[in-house]
Structure formats: C-alpha cells, structure tokens
Amino acid sequence: METTKKQWWGLLVVPLELMIGDLLFPLLKIDQNPKVSLIASTMLFVIGFLVMLYLFHDFLKAQWQVYRQKLFRHLLISIVLVVGAFLILSIVRGLIPSNLLQQRNTSATDAAPSLNASWAVLAAVMPFIAPFAEELTFRYLLFGKIANKALRFVMLFGQGILFGLVHWNNFNGNIYAMIPYMVLGIYLGLIYWFFKNIWGSIMVHWMLNTMNSMLPALLLFILSLFGIQT
C-alpha cells in the first residue's frame, strides 16, 4: 500500500470510531445496555488499534529501533514527562471554574456503577490501547508529517485542540472539560517534537492512561478477589 494511501486511511480511523460509537451504536440501540455497549466499544477500539498497527507497522518498527537504543534514558524522561502531564491537567483544570467542569448525567454514566470490577478492567482496555492510534493520528499525521515550519507550528495547536475534542464522549459534550486535554495534546506534540520519535509521545501517553485507568481497574479487580469492595 502506498504511503500516502496509508496516511489517508490512518486519518480516518479515529473519526470512524467516533462516528460508529456516536451514530451507529445508538441507532442499533447498543448503548442502552451498559455491558453490550462496553463490549462493542472495546471491540471497536481494538479493531482501530489493529488497523493502525497494520498501516504503520513499518514506521513504528523503524522508530522503535531508534528509540530502544537509549531505552532506559528515554523511559526515565518519559516518567518525568508523565508527572508533567499530571501537573498540566491539574493546573488547567484549576484555572477553569468548577461549575463549568460539571458534567450532565447520562443513562450510561448512571448505569456504570452496576458493573463489577472485572468489567472495569475491560473498560480500561480502551484507554490502555488508545495512545497508539491517537499518537499516530494527531502527533504524527497531523503534526509530524507537515514539512512547512509555519504550518507545523499552527498544527501544534490545531492537533491539540482536535485531540481534546475527540474526548467529547468522555465529558458528555462539556467543552470546558475538554480544554485540559487540548492543552495535553499540545504538550504531547511538544514531546514528539523533542524526541523526534513517535514512541516518545506514545510512551508518555500510554503511561498516563495506564496510571489513570488500567492500574486502578486492576487494583479494584484484585481487591474484589479477596471480597473487598470499594
């Protein structure tokens, strides 16, 4: 497959995931059952993840060969940058009035507490694998591939804003709650610029998501095995 075709197909993956989740799932009434909705959403993300790996496996492999040459150093830097990401999210949220960050309730969120710890682990799969498709889309295709320096500077902010907007469902359409993630998107763009390697931003994004979702979910699951409910 030609490189340009791969890039265009790659740009379609995240929007298609959003369209299927927002339009097709409600049409098929998949979103009315929390468990069915979670399974369908996870499968959708896994398919998107596999498609991106198929499209960009050569690029990822080549970039990894460079990244792994100083793997320990890069991972240490990534850990520091993850701390920076948490600080940025906290600071930006603190600058926004709390009443603007409040989310309206939806049936899906109301039903979420009925899912047990094992379902929480399944729910954590999506943010666990999301960094691969999102970094390839926003940091590589919409930012790194741009040759013109002026346009690349503009897209540093553009891709950050778009990155925040794709989290629309996470915050039930609350644009104010997406602003911290827009800033995070710009931060991840700078990380990619700094590393000049997609694995730099993937690792930071993946560590951040893992600490926010998969690790807490696994902890809840382990506690549930001992009969401890939180």
Side-chain angles (χ1 to χ4, degrees):
M1 188 182 293
E2 296 179 8
T3 301
T4 52
K5 287 184 178 179
K6 287 184 179 181
Q7 292 167 6
W8 282 112
W9 280 112
L11 284 172
L12 289 174
V13 171
V14 172
L16 282 174
E17 287 178 346
L18 293 174
M19 289 177 63
I20 292 172
D22 289 347
L23 301 177
L24 185 59
F25 283 6
L27 184 64
L28 299 176
K29 299 182 179 180
I30 291 175
D31 60 335
Q32 294 184 4
N33 185 311
K35 292 182 179 180
V36 173
S37 178
L38 178 56
I39 292 172
S41 298
T42 303
M43 289 178 61
L44 181 63
F45 265 71
V46 170
I47 291 171
F49 168 72
L50 293 176
V51 169
M52 293 300 274
L53 286 185
Y54 169 74
L55 291 174
F56 299 102
H57 65 277
D58 290 335
F59 170 71
L60 288 169
K61 183 178 180 181
Q63 292 269 285
W64 176 253
Q65 294 302 321
V66 176
Y67 185 84
R68 69 191 293 266
Q69 291 176 6
K70 298 179 180 178
L71 184 60
F72 184 70
R73 175 175 176 267
H74 287 156
L75 291 178
L76 284 178
I77 294 173
S78 295
I79 292 171
V80 174
L81 292 172
V82 169
V83 174
F86 277 113
L87 288 174
I88 286 173
L89 288 172
S90 178
I91 291 171
V92 176
R93 284 176 181 142
L95 294 174
I96 302 172
S98 58
N99 63 301
L100 296 179
L101 294 175
Q102 293 177 357
Q103 301 175 42
R104 60 181 182 273
N105 293 327
T106 64
S107 57
T109 54
D110 291 341
S114 64
L115 301 180
N116 60 31
S118 59
W119 287 95
V121 174
L122 181 61
V125 170
M126 288 182 281
F128 187 75
I129 63 175
F132 292 89
E134 291 178 350
E135 292 307 310
L136 285 167
T137 300
F138 296 102
R139 260 57 76 180
Y140 174 57
L141 295 175
L142 291 178
F143 175 57
K145 288 293 294 180
I146 297 176
N148 184 281
K149 291 183 178 180
L151 184 56
R152 180 184 287 190
F153 180 76
V154 172
M155 283 309 299
L156 172 64
F157 297 92
Q159 60 83 26
I161 293 171
L162 291 173
F163 175 73
L165 290 174
V166 299
H167 292 81
W168 180 275
N169 289 334
N170 297 57
F171 304 105
N172 300 323
N174 185 341
I175 193 71
Y176 296 102
M178 298 176 216
I179 292 175
Y181 282 80
M182 295 179 186
V183 178
L184 177 64
I186 297 170
Y187 178 69
L188 289 169
L190 290 172
I191 290 172
Y192 176 60
W193 204 344
F194 168 75
F195 276 101
K196 294 180 174 59
N197 190 303
I198 194 62
W199 285 100
S201 58
I202 285 177
M203 281 297 181
V204 174
H205 193 169
W206 178 79
M207 288 180 183
L208 179 68
N209 280 17
T210 299
M211 293 176 69
N212 272 330
S213 57
M214 184 58 77
L215 289 182
L218 288 174
L219 178 60
L220 288 174
F221 178 71
I222 293 171
L223 290 175
S224 70
L225 295 178
F226 293 94
I228 302 173
Q229 302 295 328
T230 59

